[in-house]
Amino acid sequence: MTMDLFDGLGGTGPREESLGAGARVLRGFALTQDAELLSAVHDVSLASPFRHMETPGGFRMSVAMTNCGAWGWVTDRTGYRYADVDPVQGRPWPEMPAVFLRLARMAAAKAGFDGFTPDACLVNRYEPGAKMSLHQDKDERDFTAPIVSVSLGLPAVFLFGGAERADSSARVRLSHGDVVVWGGPARLRYHGVMPLKPGHHPRVGGHRINLTFRKAQ
Ligand code: SIN
Ligand code: FE2
């Protein structure tokens, strides 16, 4: 009766979708570990709380962020960069939880990127209305490693564009447990997230969490 949830032949659609060369959506890939992931997010946020960072242009980001792993992505009036110290807490970011690392490696391998070893995990928290404008992930030192992006909680519309900002974007609905991987020829594709619609997720509540794994250094 529940087979169609897993074999990709039923009403839930395919479990893997291509977004072009080097980019894939792995539907439900994180589902079996959602409780562990959420409890690890909670632990990370106790050590390095979510905060709304400021863009170099002086705008407050609508997405609240924290990080774990050796390197954390930060922005302030001086620019975007990776920092090995949480500027709010004045100490290193919390270690990357083992469950994070395991999931990121498995998802990367599943999408064709073996040997992914992220040293940075950006944790994004979207409240209703929060959004992420189209951007490229290009603050990393080399672009040979892919990006692994995990969605938890409320669904969102992910925009996946091309190599140029003006290229049209695919609109991809991402739900709790979905993982997107992009690398190789897709590594620098523009992407973003539409304003989050209000709702209630039984496990997460009224927001969305995104984990973005990268090799920063
Ligand atoms: C990001 O690009 O940093 C976030 C993507 C997402 O929230 O799905
Ligand atoms: Fe990004």
Side-chain angles (χ1 to χ4, degrees):
M1 181 213 149
T2 54
M3 270 314 282
D4 66 339
L5 289 173
F6 302 102
D7 63 13
L9 300 172
T12 54
R15 305 299 286 166
E16 270 196 41
E17 293 158 31
S18 171
L19 295 175
R24 258 189 250 182
V25 185
L26 311 176
R27 295 286 179 199
F29 193 83
L31 267 186
T32 57
Q33 288 156 89
D34 66 344
E36 258 187 287
L37 292 168
L38 289 165
S39 123
V41 168
H42 182 68
D43 293 344
V44 166
S45 76
L46 291 179
S48 277
F50 285 104
R51 79 287 308 262
H52 293 272
M53 298 185 199
E54 199 178 0
T55 67
F59 294 100
R60 174 188 190 262
M61 295 193 77
S62 60
V63 177
M65 298 173 170
T66 184
N67 290 276
C68 60
W71 295 95
W73 185 86
V74 297
T75 174
D76 59 21
R77 293 304 287 255
T78 68
Y80 305 127
R81 64 189 173 281
Y82 280 94
D84 58 0
V85 165
D86 173 351
V88 169
Q89 302 291 83
R91 54 172 188 251
W93 301 100
E95 243 181 78
M96 199 179 301
V99 61
F100 280 22
L101 198 55
R102 218 160 45 227
L103 177 73
R105 292 180 70 86
M106 279 174 47
K110 178 93 176 157
F113 300 97
D114 281 321
F116 179 48
T117 308
D119 57 10
C121 175
L122 172 65
V123 186
N124 291 313
R125 191 184 68 200
Y126 296 73
E127 304 293 340
K131 65 177 171 72
M132 180 92 60
S133 308
L134 273 186
H135 65 278
Q136 294 170 295
D137 286 8
K138 56 176 186 189
D139 300 318
E140 299 71 35
R141 189 166 282 173
D142 88 81
F143 299 138
T144 58
I147 307 285
V148 172
S149 176
V150 178
S151 292
L152 297 167
L154 287 179
V157 177
F158 181 62
L159 302 171
F160 200 65
E164 309 289 337
R165 186 183 292 279
D167 292 344
S168 66
S169 299
R171 297 165 65 95
V172 184
R173 186 182 151 95
L174 295 181
S175 300
H176 182 74
D178 290 347
V179 179
V180 188
V181 181
W182 65 98
R187 177 61 179 74
L188 289 174
R189 284 177 65 177
Y190 276 86
H191 58 279
V193 177
M194 297 283 286
L196 193 79
K197 294 235 166 74
H200 177 81
H201 186 277
R203 304 212 120 176
V204 180
H207 59 270
R208 169 178 187 257
I209 297 285
N210 165 263
L211 311 174
T212 296
F213 295 93
R214 308 187 185 107
K215 176 130 179 50
Q217 297 293 317

